Amino acid sequence: MEHPENNEAYKGLVVNAGIEQPSSVNPYLKRKVKKRQLSVSEFVEGIVKGDVTILSQAVTLVESVRPEHQATAQEVIEKCLPYSGNSIRVGISGVPGAGKSTSIDVFGLHVLEKGGKLAVLAIDPSSERSKGSILGDKTRMEQLSVHPKSFIRPSPSAGSLGGVARKTRETIILCEAAGFDKIFVETVGVGPVSYTHLTLPTNGIVINKADGSNIDKAKLAAAQFRNALHLFPAPDSGWTPRVLTYSGFYNLGVKEIWDMVYEYIDFVKGNGYFEYRRNEQSKYWMYESINEQLRDSFYHNAKIESMLQEKEQQVLRGNLTSFVAAKSLLDTYFEDLK
Ligand code: GDP
């Protein structure tokens, strides 16, 4: 007998009529995979509400080198400016092993006892390679990293020192707008000068690791600093500098340091020096921004890009003086702008 399967009309499997296939199992999946970038006002609203996820995304935009990200970042920063400027900003700088993380952990817990919120921005300008990954290791600040009122943000520090300093300042503005009233900026090695402890030597010096067999050495160092301070002119702030020792590891002397910091802040707020410094910084950054944008516009100009190498070679070969080369490039640039 012929097998039924040899009959053309035979179908071994029966397909029942079913419901229509949906176009996608989860219509929201696509949106979830590729996050839509927030609008400027969504960023600002989120930041001002204190949403740290949105704050983080905004900081990522600040750090981005893509022009469209930078454009959004600048708008967000501008809208956040009115909410900024009221934090205590403290710079902590030192070589690896100096005790920065240990100190930040205890300092952070101490300042948070009074309430408020703390942002720790960790920057490593000496190492572009690490992309902040070493500093990003959250275990470095064991207690702070799990504190609900703290925000720790390691920053990759690609680019020039000036660029890093600007991005740090912009990140500070965003953090302040998000309600962080205490900001620690941690830098490794020779960080942006304006942020280091020791650039304000005449307003106060604190010496770490004053514990165990180190105590005598720390006290001696403190005495030497006290003597040396007399050799400096009196600080513009009018404040009489002090030298203190502490141990981050054993949490000794931490309260005394912060009592001094708060006393200093009250003092300089009282005599107008605090506001004066903030205004000076704003002025500085206005000119910095102008310089940066002019430079950027010049070097990214197509005509300039095409001429630059050639002019440089002519200068190196002695066929053109530096000044003539610069002038001809600038003339080309200004002509092109017309
Ligand atoms: P960082 O690289 O500057 O962040 O330094 P760490 O905070 O990681 O500290 C480096 C080393 O110094 C660690 O082994 C710490 O335990 C130690 N250290 C930090 N603070 C103190 C301190 O106050 N006293 C002593 N004795 N050791 C400390």
Side-chain angles (χ1 to χ4, degrees):
M1 185 184 158
E2 185 92 356
H3 195 278
E5 279 180 27
N6 290 337
N7 182 340
E8 291 252 296
Y10 177 80
K11 296 276 184 287
L13 291 170
V14 179
V15 177
N16 293 316
I19 57 160
E20 203 183 313
Q21 194 77 349
S23 62
S24 160
V25 177
N26 178 354
Y28 300 103
L29 193 63
K30 257 201 181 126
R31 283 215 349 233
K32 273 190 186 155
V33 172
K34 194 173 182 318
K35 238 186 277 169
R36 179 182 66 88
Q37 192 185 298
L38 302 176
S39 69
V40 170
S41 56
E42 283 170 326
F43 267 121
V44 177
E45 265 170 47
I47 290 169
V48 172
K49 265 198 323 208
D51 183 324
V52 285
T53 310
I54 292 180
L55 172 64
S56 281
Q57 288 170 14
V59 175
T60 303
L61 283 193
V62 166
E63 286 166 356
S64 169
V65 290
R66 286 171 57 179
E68 68 271 28
H69 287 171
Q70 273 304 307
T72 310
Q74 291 309 318
E75 278 188 69
V76 173
I77 291 160
E78 196 188 318
K79 297 216 159 61
C80 282
L81 263 176
Y83 303 97
S84 74
N86 269 321
S87 71
I88 298 174
R89 304 172 187 166
V90 175
I92 290 147
S93 181
V95 294
K100 295 179 297 301
S101 346
T102 313
S103 296
I104 291 171
D105 212 26
V106 290
F107 286 174
L109 287 186
H110 181 82
V111 299
L112 284 170
E113 273 173 21
K114 289 195 173 195
K117 297 200 291 182
L118 167 70
V120 179
L121 312 177
I123 303 152
D124 183 357
S126 58
S127 155
E128 189 181 327
R129 198 167 44 91
S130 77
K131 296 279 179 212
S133 59
I134 295 168
L135 286 163
D137 181 3
K138 287 212 165 184
T139 58
R140 287 191 322 126
M141 294 157 212
E142 261 172 45
Q143 303 178 81
L144 260 195
S145 60
V146 294
H147 197 291
K149 299 287 181 191
S150 86
F151 172 69
I152 300 176
R153 176 75 189 204
S155 287
S157 57
S160 64
L161 263 189
V164 173
R166 178 175 62 77
K167 286 174 185 184
T168 304
R169 176 180 165 79
E170 291 172 349
T171 303
I172 289 174
I173 291 167
L174 298 181
C175 289
E176 288 178 347
F180 288 89
D181 58 341
K182 301 157 188 75
I183 316 247
F184 291 175
V185 179
E186 178 193 9
T187 54
V188 174
V190 280
V193 182
S194 54
Y195 291 126
T196 63
H197 254 329
L198 285 172
T199 48
L200 300 170
T202 47
N203 283 321
I205 292 177
V206 293
I207 296 163
N208 189 20
K209 302 196 182 180
D211 49 51
S213 56
N214 262 339
I215 285 193
D216 288 342
K217 274 188 257 167
K219 287 200 168 141
L220 181 65
Q224 286 168 343
F225 273 119
R226 271 184 208 111
N227 283 332
L229 278 178
H230 293 304
L231 304 173
F232 287 92
D236 292 346
S237 61
W239 173 259
T240 309
R242 299 176 204 168
V243 182
L244 299 177
T245 60
Y246 76 103
S247 165
F249 195 77
Y250 292 101
N251 201 345
L252 298 168
V254 170
K255 181 181 180 301
E256 287 74 8
I257 286 176
W258 285 91
D259 285 350
M260 176 180 76
V261 171
Y262 291 126
E263 203 185 314
Y264 171 76
I265 288 167
D266 282 346
F267 180 82
V268 291
K269 278 191 172 167
N271 70 6
Y273 187 75
F274 186 90
E275 205 189 331
Y276 164 78
R277 291 286 307 170
R278 286 278 150 102
N279 290 341
E280 284 294 300
Q281 285 175 10
S282 301
K283 200 170 83 181
Y284 169 83
W285 283 105
M286 183 183 97
Y287 289 109
E288 256 318 285
S289 303
I290 293 172
N291 294 344
E292 200 177 305
Q293 282 173 48
L294 283 177
R295 233 188 334 252
D296 218 51
S297 158
F298 177 79
Y299 286 110
H300 286 103
N301 177 287
K303 283 200 174 137
I304 296 302
E305 279 182 338
S306 70
M307 285 171 71
L308 209 55
Q309 289 293 321
E310 174 62 21
K311 290 286 175 205
E312 190 185 299
Q313 283 307 315
Q314 285 178 306
V315 170
L316 289 177
R317 278 189 239 113
N319 298 338
L320 212 56
T321 70
S322 322
F323 301 103
V324 172
K327 183 166 186 326
S328 107
L329 284 162
L330 285 167
D331 286 347
T332 307
Y333 173 70
F334 289 126
E335 196 55 41
D336 194 53
L337 289 186
K338 282 184 187 161

